[in-house]
Amino acid sequence: MQKVLEGNHAISWGAKASDVKVIAAYPITPQTQIVELLSEMCTSGELDAKFIKVESEHSAMAAVIGSAAAGVRSFTATSSHGLLLMHEMLHWAVGARLPIVLANVNRAVGPPWNIWTDQNDSLSQRDTGLIQIYCESNQEVFDTTLQAFKVAETVSLPAMLVLDAFFLSHTSEIVDVFGADIGKKYLPPFKPVDFLDPDNPKAFGNLTGPDYYYELRHKIHKDHLRAIDVARRADAEFGKTFGRSYGLVEEYRTEGAETILVTSGTITSTARVVIDERRERGEKLGLLKIRLFRPFPLDDVRRVLTRAKKVAVIDRNIGFSIGGIFAQEIRSALWNTRVHVPLFSFIAGIGGRDVTPEVLNEILDIASAVEYPEQETYWIGVKDEELSYTGR
Amino acid sequence: MSSKKRDFRDESEMPLSAVAADDMRWNKTGSWRNIKPFYDPKTSPCIASCPAGENIQGYIELARKERYEEAARLIWQNNPFPAICGRVCYHPCMDGCARGSLDRSVFIPAIERYLGDYAIEHGLREKRPEKTLDDKVAVIGGGPAGLSCAFFLAKKGFRVTVFEAKPLMGGVLRYGIPEYRLPKTVLDAELKRIEDLGVEFRPDSIVGKDVTLEALGQYSAFFVGIGLQTSRRLGIENENSKGVMAGLEFLEKINTGEPVEVGKRVVVVGGGNTAMDVARSSLRQGAHVTVVYRRTRDEMPAIEDEVHEANEEGVHFRFLSTPVGVITKNGRITEIRCQEMELGEPDESGRRRPVPKEGTYFNMPADSLLVAIGEKPESKMFEAVCSISSGLIVTDEYGRTSNRKIFAGGDVVSGASTVVNAVARGRGAAEVIAAELSGKQFDPKKTKKVVAIADLNTAYFLQKDRAQMQRSDGAGGRRPFAEVNMGLTCEQVQEEMSRCFSCGVCDGCDNCYVFCPDVAISRHDGTYTIDYDYCKGCLICVQECPRGILSTESEGK
């Protein structure tokens, strides 16, 4: 059924459609509506799940680690400082191989205090080992919740679905939703191999020396690699069942493109419009949307970008000193192909600054003006008089 | 370490993460401990605050389970008068009640009253002792101290006679406290319980007059609880005029149904409970009443409830003033001359001394002046047999006087005090009398530590309003002397009792059992046990016990 839903509520519906059984959460702007609606659904009985109110995000993740270890489909949501507070437990969830789904609303980290969209929170969790999927629309957010559980439960790893603060979390769009009765056509019940069982007592995660820890970490690495295909198939199957699929990356008008713009999140929607306008004027431009960030879709990225003459990556985040994080990942993905594509790293939208068509046009103007990037990173629109590149 | 570790040649044989199915009990984590928790039930602060040491937590626990009879009987272990004290006590238990740190203290006197009334309604009687002992004890004074002493001695099997000067038993309970605070029917019912134990009541018997000292020779011991007999006088001009009366005298007339005319304008002097009773009774005679008191409201010794109710009923107050003369016409009072006071340095009571202000005189018209500025003991007859100091009989904390056979308690020992204090001293004396007469050593019971509010964890309690007691129309109604406070309903009492934290006494909430991270606490038949082989001394159990039952001791490593 179609509903007008803000992004946050699309996730609540996604969790409901996934028939989650335990939700443990702590509120934080701008995710609170996710768990607020879920708590109402639990109270009214329309969602048959236990809602645990905890006193911090660290406890929220600890609580769902407990419930997932007991073999129950579990969900939590957070943002920014909440995610940072959970950090230790994110590592734990991965090492414990628990298929928890976490919805993270990308919000800047402080100080100074900032509630608007920015990707540093989720990207700084890169190396925890969580699967990470970046969404562009509220429909995608609803659909990805189910896909995330499917992938997570298949490879036994937690998954984080990511959406932009306010642009998605608080913006209403038409979303086609359904309940758990339909969701289960796509998502079968969770059947863990090992779980906490009073009739068959076991302890998990005990002391392991260098003799075996190495292999356990190797198993995670292998399952991350396996997860790429698992995610691809899960998305295709979703498409077959519900008529909507998104891919691990999406190419938009890349045929014949000489410069390919790479984006993630809602910047992608604006980029589509700008790409269309400039292609009208004869520019050979294309767009690559990165949806799956972890595991990194190496083959897909290589396949698309090695055909380009220039790559311009827009990062709504920063890895201090070295550049945008997506840019770093893509640069290293391309290295062993020995195809040396000039790669521009553009920083924009940090702290929620609006990435308008003007901003994207400026980026594409800079990329087309020079053969090769003249800076490691271009901070578009930064109020810095010393900077000499085109733009303010 | 366990030796049962599995070897893997290939990671495909390995589980996704480390899994152990071994028994970990070989790992005695208790050896890591340097501070040890243990179950240490404590005395609730309400019990510690009650002068009679009533087991308030205990009777509330029983009554919550609707075991009302057992609850009432539990009160009788410390106090024969729950229906009385529940109505008139100044309830220091409420000041001690830890609930006050969350919202408002539990309405304990209302609960006690409910149980006292329940016992009366159901005609419950105290159990008579199996054996009657040879010794006879004489109690002199039929007020709360003497009656309490008689009750506890009778329960132990002694034969007790209570000599009372007035025509009826009760002392201040009957002749002091008016009907609208304590109905005589309730008093008579509580007194009957004492008589039913075989105690002999001898009213209209003044020792030294109606009862000779020779006749007293048959008694093995004596308890003196004669209270304070004589009203203090102001010592001002024309104090003997018509219309000037001692407060106690006025109350005695009111409480015996003797007609007393106070006129339209009454001035009451004094700030204690007697003054309040006098003022409120005069109000009920239809008079305009002003209480004149030489200090301020804060220094008034009367129970706060009484002052509050007097104020609500329309008694007027003139603070920092004192009468200095009575103006008469034809030998009858027409006006009172007063002087204003101010507060100076503290006196021996710790209260700031009232100091007359130069030249600040004023007159108040009055048809009656009722003087309630305190009472004095009449202890002359005992001077020959035991130590007296400033008119009060000298005793130790248990009521033993300088004479081995004579014991004393209540206001004649402490000076003006309260019903519950008299009851407590009566019981204390009964204990030492019993020990003395049976030749046993008196051993005061060891008391447990009192729970401090800091020991509790009030996060486990929800805020809840205190029950509101219904009140009658009182002074302004058709029956002005009808009881003002009408008690709580059964439903209200149950709701109010649910507010009790049960400080220091385990109620099986399971917090310690659920939260112990070492699973070192087990539960059997409602008792919890800590397995010290595994207790790491994290003290989560101590923190999360809502009632402060667990205590800690260092293990001194």
Side-chain angles (χ1 to χ4, degrees):
Chain A
M1 70 195 123
Q2 295 209 315
K3 290 181 94 66
V4 174
L5 291 177
E6 60 179 45
N8 279 345
H9 288 164
I11 299 183
S12 318
W13 275 87
K16 177 164 167 256
S18 306
D19 201 22
V20 297
K21 285 293 168 213
V22 170
I23 301 149
Y26 189 81
I28 185 170
T29 304
Q31 75 87 346
T32 306
Q33 288 81 3
I34 302 175
V35 295
E36 200 172 61
L37 181 56
L38 281 170
S39 74
E40 288 168 17
M41 289 172 169
C42 289
T43 308
S44 73
E46 81 187 81
L47 173 56
D48 176 25
K50 179 138 179 91
F51 191 101
I52 308 174
K53 282 188 316 214
V54 289
E55 78 293 1
S56 82
E57 287 85 350
H58 184 281
S59 295
M61 184 52 65
V64 290
I65 284 171
S67 57
V72 155
R73 188 169 284 157
S74 309
F75 175 85
T76 186
T78 189
S79 173
S80 178
H81 287 270
L83 185 67
L84 305 185
L85 189 56
M86 272 186 190
H87 180 78
E88 180 208 355
M89 289 286 114
L90 297 177
H91 279 281
W92 191 281
V94 170
R97 306 303 302 266
L98 297 170
I100 295 159
V101 168
L102 159 67
N104 184 67
V105 179
N106 269 148
R107 169 189 144 177
V109 301
W113 209 242
N114 177 310
I115 59 171
W116 297 278
T117 199
D118 182 303
Q119 293 171 327
N120 266 72
D121 60 350
S122 58
L123 291 173
S124 61
Q125 309 308 311
R126 256 195 294 189
D127 301 330
T128 56
L130 259 81
I131 295 166
Q132 294 197 21
I133 309 171
Y134 287 75
C135 301
E136 185 192 351
S137 69
N138 291 355
Q139 183 69 67
E140 187 178 344
V141 147
F142 171 79
D143 294 343
T144 304
T145 311
L146 286 112
Q147 290 193 23
F149 273 113
K150 186 137 200 179
V151 176
E153 287 171 12
T154 308
V155 299
S156 299
L157 285 168
M160 169 163 49
L161 71 106
V162 187
L163 64 157
D164 286 343
F166 298 104
F167 296 126
L168 284 191
S169 67
H170 283 64
T171 304
S172 296
E173 295 177 352
I174 299 172
V175 184
D176 207 336
V177 297
F178 46 76
D181 50 339
I182 299 193
K184 66 169 174 261
K185 287 192 211 164
Y186 170 76
L187 189 62
F190 174 38
K191 286 214 157 50
V193 170
D194 250 335
F195 57 95
L196 294 170
D197 177 0
D199 291 332
N200 185 13
K202 289 181 196 171
F204 298 111
N206 39 291
L207 188 69
T208 302
D211 50 346
Y212 291 122
Y213 182 88
Y214 194 82
E215 277 69 28
L216 290 174
R217 297 301 274 184
H218 184 231
K219 278 159 99 62
I220 295 174
H221 181 73
K222 285 205 311 206
D223 283 331
H224 251 271
L225 294 172
R226 188 164 71 93
I228 297 172
D229 268 335
V230 171
R232 199 190 309 280
R233 277 184 278 121
D235 178 64
E237 197 189 318
F238 195 94
K240 268 219 331 250
T241 315
F242 300 109
R244 295 187 295 272
S245 64
Y246 305 86
L248 305 184
V249 305
E250 184 194 326
E251 294 180 70
Y252 181 72
R253 306 190 78 178
T254 54
E255 349 44 85
E258 290 184 349
T259 300
I260 296 185
L261 188 64
V262 185
T263 62
S264 62
T266 55
I267 292 177
T268 311
S269 300
T270 315
R272 294 177 198 269
V273 172
V274 172
I275 296 287
D276 282 347
E277 282 173 1
R278 290 176 84 115
R279 278 183 75 100
E280 285 295 293
R281 300 202 290 270
E283 289 183 51
K284 297 196 170 66
L285 297 171
L287 174 67
L288 178 67
K289 164 188 170 184
I290 307 283
R291 178 167 175 260
L292 183 72
F293 176 76
R294 276 290 182 276
F296 191 78
L298 198 66
D299 293 341
D300 298 69
V301 167
R302 284 175 170 175
R303 174 177 51 79
V304 177
L305 296 182
T306 47
R307 291 190 317 230
K309 293 218 166 60
K310 271 185 205 164
V311 172
V313 184
I314 305 182
D315 270 290
R316 197 173 211 145
N317 61 77
I318 181 68
F320 293 111
S321 84
I322 192 132
I325 293 170
F326 278 85
Q328 288 171 50
E329 297 265 321
I330 290 168
R331 214 182 267 133
S332 64
L334 294 174
W335 185 265
N336 281 346
T337 67
R338 305 199 204 161
V339 175
H340 193 93
V341 185
L343 189 145
F344 292 73
S345 170
F346 290 101
I347 307 299
I350 281 186
R353 189 172 288 189
D354 213 354
V355 179
T356 59
E358 286 70 38
V359 171
L360 291 173
N361 278 313
E362 186 178 334
I363 287 171
L364 290 168
D365 287 346
I366 294 170
S368 60
V370 291
E371 197 52 47
Y372 219 81
E374 290 168 353
Q375 333 272 338
E376 284 302 315
T377 52
Y378 290 86
W379 283 67
I380 298 302
V382 71
K383 301 179 178 78
D384 184 342
E385 284 174 358
E386 281 181 12
L387 291 181
S388 62
Y389 53 82
T390 52
R392 297 171 300 286
Chain B
M1 282 285 271
S2 165
S3 58
K4 291 194 266 171
K5 200 176 80 163
R6 210 186 123 179
D7 289 318
F8 300 98
R9 282 175 311 121
D10 189 280
E11 72 177 51
S12 58
E13 295 167 24
M14 291 166 67
L16 292 178
S17 187
V19 182
D22 266 5
D23 190 322
M24 283 296 288
R25 278 177 284 194
W26 57 268
N27 187 14
K28 294 203 193 298
T29 49
S31 60
W32 306 4
R33 194 175 61 233
N34 57 43
I35 181 162
K36 179 174 154 169
F38 60 96
Y39 290 101
D40 183 24
K42 301 178 180 68
T43 304
S44 317
C46 51
I47 300 174
S49 303
C50 175
E54 290 181 33
N55 187 351
I56 299 167
Q57 181 280 330
Y59 73 67
I60 288 179
E61 188 181 323
L62 285 166
R64 279 170 90 162
K65 299 175 194 161
E66 296 181 319
R67 289 157 66 175
Y68 299 119
E69 178 171 338
E70 288 173 71
R73 290 183 183 284
L74 184 59
I75 301 176
W76 296 346
Q77 306 246 19
N78 289 73
N79 182 350
F81 303 134
I84 294 171
C85 287
R87 286 169 164 81
V88 310
C89 192
Y90 71 109
H91 48 75
C93 51
M94 285 179 82
D95 296 329
C97 174
R99 177 116 201 167
S101 68
L102 178 68
D103 43 38
R104 297 179 76 198
S105 51
V106 175
F107 201 175
I108 299 166
I111 299 167
E112 181 175 37
R113 173 201 168 135
Y114 182 86
L115 292 169
D117 287 348
Y118 178 94
I120 293 172
E121 268 166 64
H122 290 77
L124 298 178
R125 298 167 132 201
E126 182 56 294
K127 294 187 174 60
R128 289 188 83 138
E130 281 160 10
K131 250 180 22 178
T132 307
L133 302 170
D134 293 330
D135 286 303
K136 292 172 73 168
V137 180
V139 170
I140 303 169
L147 291 168
S148 167
C149 187
F151 176 76
F152 288 105
L153 284 170
K155 284 214 284 187
K156 290 179 194 295
F158 291 98
R159 293 182 288 158
V160 186
T161 304
V162 182
F163 295 99
E164 163 59 42
K166 298 223 204 298
L168 292 167
M169 293 287 150
V172 70
L173 300 175
R174 183 183 306 278
Y175 296 100
I177 301 175
E179 178 80 11
Y180 58 82
R181 273 220 292 149
L182 176 60
K184 304 288 180 274
T185 47
V186 173
L187 173 61
D188 288 335
E190 300 263 80
L191 292 175
K192 181 161 189 312
R193 188 176 313 121
I194 299 179
E195 252 190 316
D196 284 346
L197 280 172
V199 171
E200 188 194 357
F201 284 167
R202 292 267 297 269
D204 283 314
S205 309
I206 298 177
V207 165
K209 198 168 138 231
D210 309 295
V211 186
T212 61
L213 289 170
E214 262 169 356
L216 293 175
Q218 59 178 297
Y219 296 99
S220 315
F222 301 86
F223 176 83
V224 179
I226 58 175
L228 305 172
Q229 309 299 324
T230 327
S231 297
R232 283 184 200 279
R233 292 173 62 82
L234 281 165
I236 58 176
E237 212 188 336
N238 294 330
E239 199 167 348
N240 294 328
S241 315
K242 278 219 265 291
V244 181
M245 206 190 306
L248 278 189
E249 201 190 315
F250 168 73
L251 284 177
E252 188 165 336
K253 290 190 204 293
I254 293 279
N255 285 314
T256 51
E258 200 183 310
V260 51
E261 259 298 326
V262 289
K264 285 275 157 269
R265 286 159 316 180
V266 169
V267 173
V268 178
V269 189
N273 293 320
T274 308
M276 293 303 101
D277 285 338
V278 167
R280 294 171 73 187
S281 298
S282 311
L283 198 70
R284 283 159 167 79
Q285 303 282 75
H288 173 286
V289 181
T290 308
V291 170
V292 168
Y293 179 57
R294 59 190 181 145
R295 289 187 239 246
T296 73
R297 182 164 174 167
D298 292 336
E299 288 86 28
M300 284 178 74
I303 298 174
E304 178 55 39
D305 293 346
E306 279 248 72
V307 179
H308 177 73
E309 286 181 17
N311 199 30
E312 287 214 328
E313 286 178 349
V315 168
H316 296 88
F317 288 84
R318 186 78 191 244
F319 292 110
L320 293 169
S321 304
T322 205
V324 295
V326 175
I327 296 157
T328 60
K329 192 170 161 179
N330 299 331
R332 193 175 180 92
I333 183 176
T334 54
E335 282 181 303
I336 301 164
R337 191 155 177 73
C338 298
Q339 184 175 24
E340 282 178 22
M341 313 293 273
E342 55 193 352
L343 294 179
E345 291 304 304
D347 69 9
E348 34 339 300
S349 73
R351 294 175 296 163
R352 289 176 71 189
R353 192 188 301 268
V355 172
K357 273 163 79 169
E358 282 296 314
T360 57
Y361 295 98
F362 64 95
N363 284 4
M364 287 177 77
D367 299 318
S368 296
L369 172 64
L370 303 175
V371 184
I373 56 171
E375 294 88 37
K376 290 187 297 183
E378 277 298 312
S379 53
K380 270 196 113 60
M381 71 175 110
F382 296 103
E383 271 170 10
V385 291
C386 62
S387 288
I388 312 280
S389 168
S390 308
L392 300 173
I393 298 180
V394 177
T395 69
D396 69 5
E397 69 201 277
Y398 299 106
R400 291 183 276 222
T401 68
S402 57
N403 185 316
R404 272 193 76 180
K405 290 174 90 175
I406 301 181
F407 302 80
D411 285 1
V412 75
V413 170
S414 62
S417 183
T418 57
V419 172
V420 68
N421 278 287
V423 165
R425 283 170 176 275
R427 183 171 79 89
E431 294 293 324
V432 287
I433 293 171
E436 174 74 23
L437 292 180
S438 59
K440 290 207 191 92
Q441 179 76 303
F442 172 62
D443 231 336
K445 272 197 277 234
K446 265 208 216 27
T447 44
K448 294 186 286 224
K449 224 184 327 180
V450 182
V451 176
I453 288 177
D455 294 335
L456 304 173
N457 188 335
T458 60
Y460 293 96
F461 301 107
L462 292 175
Q463 300 234 331
K464 188 180 171 131
D465 275 337
R466 188 193 282 167
Q468 295 264 62
M469 191 179 282
Q470 224 198 330
R471 301 181 61 179
S472 71
D473 294 328
R478 279 183 302 129
R479 289 171 52 233
F481 278 88
E483 191 174 3
V484 174
N485 290 314
M486 295 171 68
L488 296 179
T489 63
C490 183
E491 222 170 39
Q492 284 183 302
V493 159
Q494 281 293 337
E495 289 286 316
E496 188 59 24
M497 292 192 293
S498 75
R499 298 175 75 241
C500 169
F501 289 164
S502 184
C503 303
V505 179
C506 181
D507 74 342
C509 78
D510 276 356
N511 270 12
C512 54
Y513 171 71
V514 167
F515 289 127
C516 175
D518 283 301
V519 199
I521 295 181
S522 58
R523 180 185 62 177
H524 184 69
D525 273 346
T527 315
Y528 300 97
T529 318
I530 297 173
D531 187 343
Y532 290 106
D533 280 344
Y534 300 101
C535 166
K536 282 209 280 305
C538 71
L539 307 185
I540 286 176
C541 54
V542 178
Q543 276 282 80
E544 300 309 316
C545 175
R547 303 171 169 84
I549 290 158
L550 288 131
S551 297
T552 60
E553 64 190 12
S554 166
E555 296 207 274
K557 284 201 197 142

